[in-house]
Amino acid sequence: MTWLMVGLGLAIVVVSLLGGVLPLATVLTHTRLQVYLSLAAGTMLGASFFHMLPEAVELGSPDVLRTAAIGLLTLFFLERFFSFHHHETGENDPHEGHNLAHGQSLNWGAAAVGLAVHTLISGVALASAASADLARGPTLGAGTIGVFLATLLHKPADALTIVSLMLRAGVSRPITHLVNFAFSLMVPVGMLLFWVGSHWLGEGGSVSLTAHALAFSAGTFLCIALSDLLPELQFHTHDRIKLSVALLAGFVLMGSTAAWEDTSHAHRGDSNGKPNQ
Ligand SMILES: [Zn+2]
Ligand SMILES: [Zn+2]
């Protein structure tokens, strides 16, 4: 199980690295970027509502939803003061001015701090989802797969942000990719922090930690998804069908992993009588 988690963490590191190469390898038009962001945001919304929030409530109590609100606000204020989540830095968006105005005030040093915290939290999200699965049954289930897929799909967006900001600031490509690599390592670091905290708290505390960490992460997922979706909604009207289909595709993907989980849970219930603790 530990090795599986190591594998999931490594996969995210690799995808982050590829995400950093993306702006150099392809012409990332505004529309392509927005279609991708809509798809990624749909999976994050779906992961939050289909997996993380229900599992956090099931493991803890409805009170954990307050922790979700704290997670949402944490990411909101992080973005307000560190501006780490602007995926478009102005250059590739010819038909408008608001991104450019923001782009000029973006500073990759400040963005780096915000992005480091954001990436660390996505590691905690993955580890808490795995821990929630293991609290309910013998194997990792759709909750972990859902959070993993949402994180995997979202990571190139973060890599894109930091790499384009640094390249624009005149930093050399090797240093840029090294920094991007260092960022991706924050995912395994976040996972490790969760496991250490969980062992330190012991059996009873660890379930409560899992419930709250999962709810907090769900709140951060909601904030990230909406901050990727709302600027496009507010400022543009192009490709509305294409973007809506991408958003729904991500959301439905998560819904179907949840449906698959329901059947596998029913199956577990038949063979075990009750979920393993
Ligand atoms: Zn992000
Ligand atoms: Zn647009």
Side-chain angles (χ1 to χ4, degrees):
M1 204 53 64
T2 314
W3 286 111
L4 189 57
M5 290 308 290
V6 170
L8 297 183
L10 277 178
I12 289 174
V13 171
V14 170
V15 168
S16 297
L17 281 175
L18 293 177
V21 183
L22 207 68
L24 310 175
T26 63
V27 182
L28 206 56
T29 61
H30 170 71
T31 301
R32 278 185 199 171
L33 179 66
Q34 288 301 328
V35 167
Y36 157 67
L37 285 176
S38 288
L39 176 73
T43 63
M44 295 194 93
L45 285 179
S48 192
F49 285 115
F50 286 115
H51 294 295
M52 303 163 87
L53 288 172
E55 285 174 18
V57 170
E58 193 185 324
L59 212 57
S61 71
D63 287 350
V64 301
L65 292 177
R66 292 171 196 157
T67 311
I70 295 171
L72 196 158
L73 287 174
T74 301
L75 256 276
F76 178 85
F77 288 121
L78 204 62
E79 171 64 14
R80 172 161 279 169
F81 292 102
F82 292 97
S83 294
F84 64 95
H85 224 261
H86 293 260
H87 302 302
E88 275 176 297
T89 49
E91 280 175 344
N92 55 353
D93 197 1
H95 61 216
E96 48 132 337
H98 74 273
N99 275 333
L100 192 63
H102 282 294
Q104 281 161 346
S105 66
L106 281 179
N107 160 332
W108 78 264
V113 176
L115 206 56
V117 177
H118 167 40
T119 314
L120 193 75
I121 294 172
S122 59
V124 171
L126 193 58
S128 59
S131 172
D133 275 349
L134 295 177
R136 302 189 309 163
T139 55
L140 293 180
T144 310
I145 294 166
V147 173
F148 172 71
L149 281 179
T151 309
L152 201 69
L153 268 171
H154 177 77
K155 275 303 119 192
D158 291 341
L160 191 65
T161 304
I162 195 70
V163 167
S164 7
L165 281 178
M166 289 181 72
L167 290 178
R168 279 189 72 196
V171 180
S172 75
R173 282 183 186 190
I175 301 281
T176 300
H177 290 294
L178 200 66
V179 170
N180 183 37
F181 176 62
F183 272 114
S184 63
L185 291 181
M186 296 303 278
V187 172
V189 169
M191 291 167 76
L192 204 66
L193 275 179
F194 177 84
W195 290 118
V196 168
S198 172
H199 278 276
W200 182 66
L201 283 173
E203 193 135 337
S206 128
V207 171
S208 162
L209 175 75
T210 302
H212 284 282
L214 200 56
F216 184 91
S217 311
T220 67
F221 273 38
L222 291 179
C223 185
I224 292 161
L226 291 176
S227 71
D228 282 349
L229 291 170
L230 292 178
E232 182 66 20
L233 180 71
Q234 194 173 0
F235 296 109
H236 296 180
T237 51
H238 62 86
D239 297 297
R240 283 178 289 188
I241 300 292
K242 209 190 269 185
L243 294 176
S244 304
V245 168
L247 170 63
L248 288 175
F251 193 70
V252 168
L253 172 72
M254 284 298 126
S256 56
T257 57
W260 170 73
E261 178 172 54
D262 289 342
T263 37
S264 71
H265 264 206
H267 182 72
R268 266 186 215 170
D270 288 343
S271 54
N272 292 345
K274 65 183 176 79
N276 289 1
Q277 287 296 312

